[in-house]
Structure formats: C-alpha cells, structure tokens
Amino acid sequence: MSKKPIGIFDSGIGGTSIFKEIHALLPNENCFYLADSKNAPYGDKSKDQILQLSIKNTEYLIAKECKIIVVACNTATTNAINYLRENYNIPFIGIEPAIKPAALNTQTKAVGILATKGTLSSQLFHKTTDLYASGIKVIEQVGEGIVPLIEEDKVGTKEMLLLLEKYLEPMLKQNIDYLVLGCTHYPYLIPMLTKMLPSTVKIIDSGLAVAKQTQSVLSAHNLLNDSEAKPNINLFSNGNVAVLNSILDHKFNASFLEF
Ligand code: DGL
C-alpha cells in the first residue's frame, strides 16, 4: 500500500505549488496529479458545483488506487472536505487560508487575505476567522480574474499587475503587515507581489505546511514509501497541458487526460 501514489487535485494548475512542496519533502513518493483546468475557476461556482467536481476528482483518484488525497485547492477544501471525509474511507489533506499565523503575529492588527469568492464565502473560512482573528482587522479581497490569467500562462503580464494593484490598494490603505495567499494558484505571483509590497508586509503561503501535514498523516498511517526507486510522477490536465508543463518549468512530462 505504501507504494501507491499520493493523489492530488486542484481546479487547475495552481495545486502544482503544493505538489512541488510535497515532491521536495517526500522525494520517494509516487504522485498522481489532476488539474481540472477544463472546469477552472472553481472560485466563481456554487457550493454544490464545487462539491460535485471535488467528488468527481476524488473518485478518479481512488480508482487510481491513491493512498491519500491532497485537496490542493482552498476553494474545494473549504466547500467540500467535510463531505469527502465523511463519505470516503481514505485520508484527506486540505488547504485553508492561513489566517491563524497572520492573526497571531500581526503588529498592525490588520491582515489582508486574497482568495476566491468560493473560499471567502464558505462557512469553514468564517469559522476559522471568527476563531483566530477576533479583534484583528481582516481585509478580505476576492482575486477575481487572477486564476483565469494564470491558467492562460499570463503570470507576469501587465494585465496581472493592474489586477494586483487594484486588489492590494485597499489592504495597504488599512496598513496590513501580513498578506495571506488563500488560493494555491497565488504562490506563482510571489515574485510580483514581493516587488509591489512594502518590505514590512510579509506574505503567507501554506504550501510547505501542507506537505508536512501530508508527511505526518502518511507516517501515522504507516504509509510512507521507503523505496529508493525513482518515483512515478504522473501529472494530468483535462485542459491546456502546455501551460501545466510551463508552470512546472518542463521538469515533468504532464499529459492530457479526459476526466
Ligand atoms: N486553486 C484554487 C484554490 O486554491 C482554486 C482557484 C479557482 O479555481 O478558482 O482556491
């Protein structure tokens, strides 16, 4: 069982920011990644649509005999992970905006969060915010339009710069000192964001934390792969494979798959 792959899915290519952390931390592990780019963005969809897509991806990964599923998507996690955990007998790892460390460490008592509409409107997000960020100003911003641009390989473009300027302005006016990236596509914007933000603003991205959590859950279930063999890394997109390969710097040979 330990040689079975880690299954990872996202609405598209963003979850590769999580896949990269997992592969770096657990280089022996076989991985099976699904980019549901045909249906991206999930962030503008209804809770039920997000749930149905998450079920479809989960069942595909279970059919591929994955030993654990990483929901490498904040939108799918915040809207569907409770249902998935209750209905499928396999460990799930999710990703949620890291409000807690930002709220605990802010000096200015103001933090910014950039995420999708689906994530910011979810009950799970509100629960976490109420729990950890009472007394802190949380400036929520829907990153409308960002995911489609990333899916079109337009990360460093003028169009992206203009969107980011618009979204950061209200946060900077409120004097944030933390910016929480609440979508797995957004770590690809860090080089741009670092140039745009004053040095007093720290960016929080939870990719490494998700990889560590995957490691610890695999270990607890005795599922870590101790084989020294070269791992099988299978990455698939039901949309534009060229963009998936490009975001991975052509280091892995991703393929098209209808799912
Ligand atoms: N990458 C996803 C997330 O973490 C979803 C983005 C989208 O499809 O809207 O939320």
Side-chain angles (χ1 to χ4, degrees), residues 71-252:
V71 182
C73 174
N74 293 258
T75 311
T77 300
T78 50
N79 286 280
I81 204 157
N82 290 343
Y83 178 91
L84 298 176
R85 286 192 170 126
E86 280 162 21
N87 287 279
Y88 297 93
N89 188 20
I90 180 171
F92 285 92
I93 306 291
I95 177 164
E96 277 184 71
I99 283 286
K100 185 178 170 185
L104 284 176
N105 293 306
T106 175
Q107 301 295 311
T108 60
K109 303 290 172 219
V111 304
I113 154 112
L114 190 59
T116 68
K117 189 164 137 230
T119 295
L120 293 176
S121 61
S122 70
Q123 270 179 5
L124 198 58
F125 174 73
H126 286 287
K127 234 168 102 179
T128 312
T129 311
D130 291 347
L131 193 64
Y132 298 112
S134 65
I136 308 274
K137 226 187 277 168
V138 178
I139 297 106
E140 297 174 18
Q141 176 64 55
V142 173
E144 202 180 333
I146 296 179
V147 167
L149 285 181
I150 296 176
E151 290 286 326
E152 286 166 28
D153 211 4
K154 292 185 178 162
V155 170
T157 58
K158 179 91 193 169
E159 252 172 303
M160 185 69 85
L161 184 73
L162 293 174
L163 273 186
L164 293 179
E165 273 172 0
K166 184 167 87 183
Y167 296 153
L168 294 179
E169 194 193 280
M171 300 188 187
L172 294 173
K173 273 200 182 127
Q174 304 260 15
N175 199 22
I176 61 159
D177 58 356
Y178 279 89
L179 171 64
V180 178
L181 301 184
C183 170
T184 55
H185 282 71
Y186 300 169
Y188 289 110
L189 304 174
I190 290 175
M192 272 180 117
L193 289 168
T194 313
K195 278 192 209 146
M196 297 169 74
L197 290 166
S199 59
T200 47
V201 179
K202 292 167 221 51
I203 299 172
I204 301 200
D205 148 39
S206 12
L208 180 59
V210 173
K212 286 184 176 164
Q213 177 68 2
T214 307
Q215 181 182 42
S216 106
V217 172
L218 284 176
S219 165
H221 286 78
N222 232 349
L223 284 173
L224 282 170
N225 188 359
D226 49 16
S227 155
E228 293 293 323
K230 193 173 180 287
N232 286 324
I233 304 295
N234 288 302
L235 296 122
F236 297 101
S237 165
N238 57 12
N240 189 338
V241 185
V243 187
L244 176 56
N245 276 315
S246 153
I247 207 121
L248 290 161
D249 299 324
H250 302 274
K251 287 191 183 129
F252 304 89

